[in-house]
Amino acid sequence: MSDSISLQKVIEYVEFLSTEEQDLLVELIQKRRIENRREEIAINARKTLAAFKAGNVKRGNLEQLKADLLDDDE
């Protein structure tokens, strides 16, 4: 998006919409945010799986992971 609009301007535009249109807009924005977050999670999962398959992942219980992290600091 090359032409940016200030948040204040967007709010002013939204105020011109009917209540029903504003409700629909809020619902659409929420759904898009959810879908974007799902995509971020999916990308993260793919990266994690690739790291696991490459052997770049450490495993263990909480105490083992904590000990490993403390060993790395020294």
Side-chain angles (χ1 to χ4, degrees):
M1 183 177 187
S2 59
D3 297 326
S4 64
I5 301 172
S6 72
L7 180 58
Q8 182 59 40
K9 201 61 147 167
V10 171
I11 292 169
E12 290 171 12
Y13 288 142
V14 170
E15 288 175 344
F16 283 110
L17 299 174
S18 69
T19 302
E20 293 80 18
E21 290 171 323
Q22 289 180 20
D23 290 343
L24 177 60
L25 179 61
V26 168
E27 185 179 336
L28 290 171
I29 291 171
Q30 287 174 333
K31 286 181 179 181
R32 285 186 181 192
R33 288 181 45 85
I34 289 168
E35 286 304 314
N36 288 340
R37 184 63 185 130
R38 282 184 182 150
E39 183 58 29
E40 288 174 7
I41 291 169
I43 290 168
N44 238 356
R46 286 191 290 272
K47 288 179 182 178
T48 301
L49 185 57
F52 179 77
K53 287 180 178 179
N56 298 327
V57 176
K58 294 182 180 181
R59 296 176 55 182
N61 64 32
L62 179 59
E63 291 304 317
Q64 291 167 329
L65 294 173
K66 187 174 161 183
D68 189 45
L69 286 173
L70 292 173
D71 286 342
D72 285 347
D73 289 342
E74 295 174 1

